[in-house]
Every structure is written in C-alpha cells, then in structure tokens.
C-alpha cells in the first residue's frame, strides 16, 4: 500500500538557522508533490508544489527538492523565525484528475523554531 | 471576502445519529474534497467531487455520504455506520489544472 513518511519527532531549530524537513514515500508514483503548513486547530495552507519532472522550486525563504529516484522530497526554510513554528504536511497527487484528484498526506512534522 | 466556510466549528452528537457537516465555497472552484484528520495523523481522503452531480470515493468512504447539487456546496453526512466518527473534518476546494487545494477552517465532531 502507499506510504508517506515524515519526521515523526518534533524538529527543534534555533532561530536564524535553516530547517530541513523530509518526506519519503513508497509504493507510489506521484505526478506532483505539495507542502502545506498547518497551525493547531486550523486547516492546512498551501505552500509549494513541485512536479515529477522538476528538481527544485523556491519561494521566498522556502525551497523544496524532489528526487523521484530516491522517492524523497526535502523542504527547507532558511533564516527560520519563531513564526515558522507549525506542522508541515507533505502531500502527493497522482495527477489522474487533471490536478483535481484527491491528495495523499503524510502525518506531518512539527517544527519548533526557538528564539 | 472569498473562501471556504465550514459550519459549525464544533459539533456534538450521540452515537447512532446521522449528522451533516456543511461546506460552502465562493471561489468558483470546480473540485471539492472532504478529509478527515485524527490526532497526530495526516489527512485522509473521504470523498471528492470534480464536477456538479458527480463524486468519487476516497480512501475511507465507508460510513459517509455526500452530495454535489451546486458548485458552491459539498455537504458531508456522517452516518451511524461510521465506526469511529469522532475526528476533525476538513473541506477543501481546487480549480482543475491548478493543483493547490484551499482548505476551510474545519469542523470538530465529537460523538459520544
């Protein structure tokens, strides 16, 4: 069955450093991968999307890489700030619905940026 | 003010009762989704709809039902057949060809 693994333990990073979150998957051939941010008791918010034929995407302080050979995505937050503290979810889509298909989510990584 | 609304924020029901969760969007999105989230878990897809009057089962559709009579609305009914209905329910919408999903604030359902 499809499986997505994210760092199960909380990730503690000092303010100003780069936070790197990992998403590994098995038994899946995603057409694209997305990263979302979720704050406690709220719905996820979309951050970045990367397609299977792309290696890297950037948006401001965020960078995501996608290695379909390793079946892994890395999500980086540079110059991290306490406001970046949240749970970050990795989600995969198979592209069958022209981008409107449902997503398969990982359990998320709880990131804590300490001042 | 565009977005997705879910109501109510908190919902309490007795075991054996059906309950309907509301989801409305004014983003003119074609596709709508329902996910369930349990503590410490990722989101799991219940149902999704890519067009009015059509919907597909997700990974955990058993015990749930949906309808899509209007583009703006995608209500979810949690039936008494759902074994563990207590959870955080999230509705989302998206435009076909644009892959990001917009999520509502969620409804926390507690069944006792």
């Amino acid at each position: 069955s499809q499986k997505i693994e994210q760092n199960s333990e909380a990730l503690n990073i000092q303010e100003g450093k780069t936070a790197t979150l990992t998403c590994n998957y098995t038994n899946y051939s995603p057409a694209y991968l997305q990263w979302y941010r979720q704050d406690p008791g709220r719905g996820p918010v979309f951050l970045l999307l990367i397609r299977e034929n792309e290696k890297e995407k950037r948006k401001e302080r965020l960078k995501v890489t996608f290695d379909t050979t390793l079946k892994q995505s890395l999500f980086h937050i540079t110059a991290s700030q306490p406001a970046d503290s949240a749970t970050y979810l990795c989600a995969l889509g198979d592209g069958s619905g022209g981008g409107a298909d449902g997503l398969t989510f990982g359990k998320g990584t709880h990131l804590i940026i300490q001042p | 003010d565009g977005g997705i609304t879910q109501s109510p924020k908190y919902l309490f029901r007795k075991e054996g009762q059906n309950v309907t969760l509301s989801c409305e969007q004014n983003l003119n999105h074609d596709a709508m989704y329902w996910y369930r989230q349990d503590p410490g878990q990722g989101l799991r897809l219940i149902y999704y709809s890519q067009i009015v009057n059509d919907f597909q089962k997700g990974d955990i559709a058993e015990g749930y039902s949906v309808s899509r009579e209007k583009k703006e609305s995608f209500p979810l009914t949690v039936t008494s057949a759902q074994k563990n209905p207590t959870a955080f329910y999230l509705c989302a919408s998206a435009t076909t060809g644009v892959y990001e999903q917009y999520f509502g604030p969620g409804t926390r359902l507690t069944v006792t």
Side-chain angles (χ1 to χ4, degrees), chain B residues 18 31 73 90 105:
Chain B
N18 291 356
S73 178
L90 288 157

Side-chain angles (χ1 to χ4, degrees), chain A residues 43-101:
Chain A
V45 174
F46 171 80
L47 296 174
L48 279 171
L49 175 146
I50 187 163
R51 291 182 171 80
E52 60 180 334
N53 59 348
E54 297 174 319
K55 295 294 185 186
E56 180 180 300
K57 288 287 264 305
R58 291 175 185 262
K59 179 182 177 182
E60 298 172 353
R61 295 185 296 111
L62 309 179
K63 184 178 85 170
V64 61
T65 63
F66 194 12
D67 189 326
T68 55
T69 301
L70 291 178
K71 295 185 182 295
Q72 180 182 79
S73 174
L74 299 178
F75 178 77
H76 307 272
I77 304 175
T78 60
S80 59
Q81 306 165 0
D84 295 326
S85 299
T87 296
Y88 290 85
L89 303 171
C90 167
L92 277 62
D94 63 16
S96 59
D101 44 311

Side-chain angles (χ1 to χ4, degrees), chain A residues 2 31-32 34 36 38 41-46 49 51 89 95-108, chain B residues 9 31 33 35 37 40-43 45 48 50 59 88 90 94-106 108:
Chain A
Q2 300 168 358
Y32 58 90
Q34 301 184 20
Y36 287 80
Q38 186 176 27
R42 308 190 72 161
V45 174
F46 171 80
L49 175 146
R51 291 182 171 80
L89 303 171
S96 59
D101 44 311
L103 297 172
T104 301
F105 281 84
K107 294 182 180 180
Chain B
K9 188 170 179 65
Y33 312 82
Y35 294 91
Q37 188 174 34
Q41 301 296 314
L43 281 67
L45 182 65
Y48 66 103
Q50 296 175 331
D59 300 319
F88 187 45
L90 288 157
T95 296
T96 303
V98 179
Y99 294 63
E100 64 180 273
Q101 295 188 7
Y102 290 79
F103 283 84
R108 192 167 298 278

Side-chain angles (χ1 to χ4, degrees), chain B residues 24-36:
Chain B
E24 304 277 335
Q25 56 97 1
N26 61 4
L27 300 167
N28 199 33
H29 285 170
D30 302 303
M32 296 187 73
Y33 312 82
W34 276 104
Y35 294 91
R36 167 186 174 138

Side-chain angles (χ1 to χ4, degrees), chain B residues 4-8 11 20-24 34 73-76 91 106-107:
Chain B
I4 302 179
T5 57
Q6 291 185 244
S7 61
L11 192 54
T20 297
L21 282 60
S22 168
C23 178
E24 304 277 335
W34 276 104
S73 178
F74 192 40
L76 173 75
C91 178
T107 291

